[in-house]
Amino acid sequence: MTPVLHIEGVDKIIDGKTILKNINLEANKGEIIGLLGPNGSGKTTLIKLMTGLIKQSSGSIIINGFPIDRQFEKAIQAVGAIVENPEFYSYLTGYENLIHYANMHKDITQERLDEVVERVGLEDAIDDKVKTYSLGMRQRLGIAQAILHRPKLLILDEPTNGLDPAGMKDFRDHLRELAKEEGTVILFATHLLKEVEDLCDRVVILQNGRVKSTVTLHGAEEKLEKALLEVQPEEKALQWLKGNGYEAWTEKGLVAVKVEKRKIPSLNKQLVMNDIDVYSIAPFKQSLEDEYMTLTAAMEEEGDFDVQTHQK
């Protein structure tokens, strides 16, 4: 499968300062990928590179098979974007705004206009003036505008700013439907970990202009996880686990072990066969917030931490 987005070895240097260093990223049809990082991590610069607002210093960015620096028009045809709060002509209706945008593209039919209005759930308000829209309705109109030309890649930069919890849920639902029904790759840049965890398949964590970690969130049942075991005798269990190739340690009065979820029944059976009493085994999956905090704490210890008041 040819990736919709392929970024390889991208650097960006501005006034002698390295803003992005060796960025590598691929995204396939229908994926929702979170771009996570503190202020100053390089998220906005990377988005500007992908939308052609600035050029990379080295490396390549290929969108839908076209390098954006050499075949800009063909590459950018596959891109839609919403940066923070989308802007519209408030004195026009939602539909008139969409018509105005549709005129900038080729072959956008009446059928497609009606289709995107329905997809974002604005049928009842599309003929109202935009000045009467709530922020959530404006965001939905922004999605409609951004996907009119059927982009392969939709780039969202902090798109939920100012939305209440209900509006954020509604927004997430529309994005999931878009990825599923139209196969659009959605790159979602934010600093809100909960939003990323609820929406994204994968998360790329940026720090000081570098990719520090990639975390798979959904569809990762075979991922090596941690299980917490209540067993007796505890020391015997630890010795057996370590002697059989498991990474194991004590944690909060329990035995912790790295093991795939599907292998837990077999592990339970082996422990019992070796005269170890098993009272409970609970799979434990670290939340994105836990992983993010662990990662940034490690970076702080290494002297590679830079968020607002902490500068190196």
Side-chain angles (χ1 to χ4, degrees), residues 67 109 114 163 175 183 202 241 249 252 301 304:
T109 64
D114 295 339
L163 292 183
L175 293 181
R202 233 181 337 131
L241 288 164
W249 64 97
K252 299 178 181 178
E301 288 177 6
D304 191 19

Side-chain angles (χ1 to χ4, degrees), residues 224 237-249 256-260 263 267 270:
L224 199 64
L238 274 171
Q239 289 177 357
W240 184 89
L241 288 164
K242 292 177 180 178
N244 285 272
Y246 289 95
E247 184 180 342
W249 64 97
V257 59
K258 281 194 174 180
V259 60
E260 292 176 15
K263 293 183 178 180
L267 175 60
Q270 289 176 303

Side-chain angles (χ1 to χ4, degrees), residues 110-135:
Q110 181 70 48
E111 182 182 13
R112 178 59 179 171
L113 281 162
D114 295 339
E115 181 183 354
V116 297
V117 169
E118 182 179 355
R119 183 170 299 286
V120 300
L122 279 177
E123 304 100 304
D124 294 337
I126 197 65
D127 292 320
D128 297 338
K129 292 188 183 299
V130 169
K131 64 183 178 183
T132 67
Y133 281 19
S134 66
L135 183 54

Side-chain angles (χ1 to χ4, degrees), residues 222-248:
E222 300 305 309
K223 184 181 176 183
L224 199 64
E225 296 186 4
K226 180 173 73 174
L228 297 176
L229 285 59
E230 185 181 359
V231 292
Q232 288 294 335
E234 185 178 289
E235 190 58 38
K236 182 178 179 180
L238 274 171
Q239 289 177 357
W240 184 89
L241 288 164
K242 292 177 180 178
N244 285 272
Y246 289 95
E247 184 180 342

Side-chain angles (χ1 to χ4, degrees), residues 225-231 251 254-257 259 261 264 267-268 278-285:
E225 296 186 4
K226 180 173 73 174
L228 297 176
L229 285 59
E230 185 181 359
V231 292
E251 182 176 313
L254 301 170
V255 172
V257 59
V259 60
K261 187 176 180 179
I264 288 176
L267 175 60
N268 181 32
V278 180
Y279 296 96
S280 69
I281 300 181
F284 176 84
K285 187 170 183 179

